[in-house]
Amino acid sequence: MAAELLNQSNTMSYKTEKEAFVSNLNGTTVAEIALVNASAPLAVLLRAVVIPWLFGQVYNRFNIGFRFLVDFCLLVLPTMLSVTILADHTIAILSGGVSMVLSLLVFNDRHSSPSKPAQTQSNPSKPAQTQSKPSKPAQIHSKPSKPTQTQSVSLQTILDRKLSETVPFVTNYRAYANIATAICILGVDFHIFPRRFAKAEMYGTGLMDAGVGSFVVSNAIVSPEARGKYRMARSFSGKLSNIAQSVRSTAPLWIIGLSRMVVVKALDYQEHVTEYGVHWNFFFTLAVVRVLSTAVLQFTGAGMSGLLSLVLAVQYQFALSNQGLQEFVLHGSDGRDSRRGFLDANREGICSCWGFLAVYFAGVELGRFIFIKRSTVQQWLMGCVQLLVSCGLFWVLLVLCEGYVEPVSRRTANLPYQLWMMVYNIQIIGSMLLVDLVVVIAAELRLLKREYSPRIWGVEPTTGDSKDAVPTEQQLPDWCLLSAVNRNQLFFFLLANLLTGAVNLCVDTLHTEPFMAFCIVFAYMLQLCNVVVVLHARNISLKFW
């Protein structure tokens, strides 16, 4: 009996120690997080350049297992290193990556040299063959010559080049939102993950504070409202029907949220109560925001999403600063964090839904901008410039709000947090778009061969193009790791949570050596990505709602 009590005491103390390990933190700077995020678009660029340089046209002959390992090392590993064992060397990582890309583009003549033209003169070693067919050279010279790959391409020709309607940078952005989150939710339990990247207690900007906001924006930019596929019902009964449909579509989130709550309580698993509350969690927030957004937009229309975001953000911040809501969220109804009753026990999760709803509306407006019909490189370059300029404007507003209103708080999802989420996500989206355009332009300039480099933005054939041009399907191979993650996002995130729980139940994460900790995170991400790639290869989408 004494041994059982001692074991229970040790278990309780270890749980308390793990909870303290992720509590009372203050985050880092927005600038450092922006640098860390730059590793994602750089990895996409590195993949587009390295694969043709290393493998050339033989790359597509490799089996999917080998290509998966190449994708994992080029796309996932840099981000994993940037937030764990090499977190203090972010600038060195970025500098090395940029230098490698530039070097490979400059010296990548291995595959960019023109193919050898057909022989038009007799071969001394085979005189009999050349003399038996004297008409061949004449036929060749009679045809108009085609421009070779070494001929220069005018800037205007490149700018006028038409791109396909696909938007690969959106897929890349959404996939990386899941990949980075999966790395962080397990890595945070080890010492190799810097404490400044973990969630801040009250105020601050930790890398993990951006998780839920990124998922909200990620869902918003591809919503029917953002893509112009939203149809507002005319009758009141039709509006109610659409809202009910929204509730049904979020059923997996409600089920997963309830299941997580039950399992955490049953296993007495460590939890950071001040994140969302006693019973609330991430999945409930996503579900509530989706249902509320549908209900509001049924009566206002998607064209009002930007104005709705502004009005809701200002009113919510006013309630926080002037109506006592902030005191309630941070300290409870009695000021002593007693958590009596359901609302008081889950005040962070419930109240922050209004802030995340404002973020969602802003994300819808961002998506509406992204899916404006554009067809040429020049039009997309202008869109990229507009995105990066808007990112700068949001950054200025963020600095002003932090100076004159209050610091960023993910716990309350206040106005500065909402502005930071727009800075954070627009930076990644704009960078991903810029990378795609850089790769397209590099291919047009023959710095790399389009048919050898996977996942180049599809180029529509124009008059005068060779009939032998590589089709879009080969330019955008569907087996890319990012496509696999994007296809089964919810399953990927759910599996990441399950594997994270299993590792924490089986491994003493607080006392694991750095090398072993990194090996565990590496194996976890490898298995996680492998599962979704296998599903993708088998054309399986785990979506039944």
Side-chain angles (χ1 to χ4, degrees):
M1 186 68 175
E4 183 178 350
L5 290 175
L6 180 61
N7 186 36
Q8 183 177 2
S9 175
N10 291 336
T11 302
M12 291 296 293
S13 63
Y14 180 66
K15 176 189 174 184
T16 304
E17 186 180 359
K18 295 196 75 169
E19 291 174 349
F21 188 57
V22 295
S23 302
N24 302 315
L25 303 172
N26 299 316
T28 183
T29 64
V30 175
E32 182 179 16
I33 293 177
L35 284 175
V36 173
N37 289 336
S39 64
L42 180 59
V44 175
L45 180 59
L46 196 62
R47 177 185 189 269
V49 176
V50 167
I51 287 179
W53 194 86
L54 282 180
F55 306 108
Q57 60 184 336
V58 302
Y59 183 69
N60 290 329
R61 301 175 188 173
F62 294 123
N63 60 45
I64 192 172
F66 178 82
R67 288 181 287 178
F68 161 67
L69 291 177
V70 172
D71 272 6
F72 185 86
C73 292
L74 292 176
L75 297 174
V76 179
L77 191 57
T79 301
M80 194 186 310
L81 292 171
S82 298
V83 299
T84 54
I85 57 178
L86 296 182
D88 295 329
H89 306 282
T90 305
I91 295 179
I93 293 175
L94 297 178
S95 301
V98 171
S99 300
M100 182 179 297
V101 168
L102 293 176
S103 300
L104 294 180
L105 287 177
V106 170
F107 299 105
N108 194 13
D109 57 354
R110 171 180 168 185
H111 300 298
S112 60
S113 58
S115 56
K116 294 182 179 180
Q119 292 181 347
T120 59
Q121 297 179 355
S122 62
N123 190 334
S125 63
K126 298 180 181 180
Q129 293 181 4
T130 57
Q131 293 175 2
S132 63
K133 297 181 180 181
S135 61
K136 285 293 182 181
Q139 291 178 2
I140 292 177
H141 286 294
S142 65
K143 294 181 181 179
S145 61
K146 295 181 181 179
T148 63
Q149 292 182 352
T150 56
Q151 288 180 316
S152 61
V153 182
S154 68
L155 176 62
Q156 193 58 47
T157 301
I158 296 176
L159 294 178
D160 292 339
R161 194 67 157 150
K162 289 189 176 182
L163 300 176
S164 65
E165 295 182 357
T166 60
V167 280
F169 67 93
V170 173
T171 296
N172 298 342
Y173 155 73
R174 301 187 76 223
Y176 263 108
N178 282 270
I179 290 172
T181 302
I183 294 171
C184 291
I185 61 175
L186 178 61
V188 71
D189 295 317
F190 294 95
H191 284 281
I192 59 172
F193 190 88
R195 294 302 89 195
R196 64 183 184 275
F197 288 168
K199 291 180 179 178
E201 187 67 26
M202 287 190 180
Y203 297 100
T205 52
L207 179 61
M208 294 189 69
D209 286 314
V212 62
S214 293
F215 270 87
V216 170
V217 175
S218 175
N219 291 336
I221 64 173
V222 296
S223 63
E225 297 90 344
R227 290 179 293 162
K229 298 182 179 180
Y230 179 74
R231 295 294 180 266
M232 187 170 60
R234 295 183 178 180
S235 64
F236 184 74
S237 60
K239 297 179 188 299
L240 292 180
S241 176
N242 286 344
I243 296 172
Q245 174 60 32
S246 178
V247 174
R248 288 193 295 269
S249 67
T250 57
L253 295 175
W254 295 107
I255 294 173
I256 295 171
L258 287 170
S259 301
R260 185 186 188 282
M261 180 189 68
V262 171
V263 170
V264 167
K265 302 301 179 184
L267 296 178
D268 197 25
Y269 191 78
Q270 69 272 4
E271 55 182 331
H272 195 186
V273 175
T274 58
E275 288 185 25
Y276 299 102
V278 178
H279 311 98
W280 205 267
N281 57 55
F282 168 85
F283 298 100
F284 290 147
T285 296
L286 290 183
V288 168
V289 167
R290 185 69 188 96
V291 173
L292 288 177
S293 65
T294 300
V296 173
L297 294 177
Q298 278 295 313
F299 295 93
T300 63
M304 299 292 291
S305 55
L307 180 60
L308 285 171
S309 175
L310 176 61
V311 172
L312 184 58
V314 172
Q315 289 186 341
Y316 179 62
Q317 183 60 50
F318 179 80
L320 286 172
S321 302
N322 301 94
Q323 303 296 318
L325 183 60
Q326 182 170 272
E327 182 67 20
F328 169 70
V329 174
L330 297 180
H331 304 291
S333 56
D334 58 359
R336 294 178 295 181
D337 199 16
S338 59
R339 298 191 180 272
R340 296 176 181 176
F342 181 80
L343 177 60
D344 200 356
N346 302 282
R347 56 184 183 268
E348 294 92 349
I350 295 174
C351 294
S352 64
C353 283
W354 299 105
F356 287 118
L357 182 59
V359 173
Y360 187 90
F361 286 141
V364 170
E365 190 65 24
L366 175 60
R368 282 164 53 83
F369 172 80
I370 290 173
F371 287 102
I372 291 175
K373 185 173 179 57
R374 300 178 180 89
S375 58
T376 65
V377 172
Q378 183 174 6
Q379 291 172 343
W380 278 110
L381 277 172
M382 290 300 299
C384 182
V385 170
Q386 290 173 300
L387 279 176
L388 297 178
V389 169
S390 65
C391 180
L393 292 177
F394 275 114
W395 199 306
V396 172
L397 291 174
L398 171 60
V399 172
L400 293 175
C401 276
E402 283 197 297
Y404 293 98
V405 181
E406 63 177 345
V408 172
S409 174
R410 186 262 324 150
R411 192 168 168 183
T412 61
N414 58 3
L415 178 59
Y417 177 83
Q418 297 164 33
L419 292 172
W420 179 44
M421 283 300 92
M422 298 314 297
V423 170
Y424 179 94
N425 289 280
I426 293 177
Q427 175 208 340
I428 302 178
I429 295 173
S431 300
M432 290 291 188
L433 172 56
L434 181 61
V435 163
D436 279 351
L437 292 172
V438 166
V439 175
V440 167
I441 293 172
E444 291 296 310
L445 294 174
R446 307 298 189 261
L447 297 177
L448 57 86
K449 267 208 167 185
R450 176 178 301 279
E451 59 267 33
Y452 298 163
S453 185
R455 202 161 186 76
I456 290 185
W457 201 335
V459 173
E460 295 292 342
T462 58
T463 304
D465 281 348
S466 171
K467 294 181 180 180
D468 298 329
V470 180
T472 301
E473 288 76 13
Q474 292 184 25
Q475 296 165 10
L476 287 170
D478 201 33
W479 42 258
C480 176
L481 172 59
L482 298 179
S483 296
V485 174
N486 189 66
R487 180 174 190 163
N488 287 294
Q489 285 193 68
L490 183 58
F491 174 75
F492 180 88
F493 183 69
L494 176 59
L495 182 60
N497 276 267
L498 294 175
L499 291 178
T500 297
V503 170
N504 274 272
L505 292 175
C506 300
V507 178
D508 183 357
T509 59
L510 294 183
H511 304 98
T512 304
E513 294 295 325
F515 176 75
M516 182 56 64
F518 183 79
C519 290
I520 292 174
V521 177
F522 182 90
Y524 150 84
M525 284 303 301
L526 188 67
Q527 184 60 34
L528 188 59
C529 293
N530 179 59
V531 171
V532 293
V533 166
V534 170
L535 291 174
H536 192 55
R538 295 176 180 270
N539 199 28
I540 298 175
S541 297
L542 296 178
K543 185 174 182 180
F544 52 85
W545 56 95

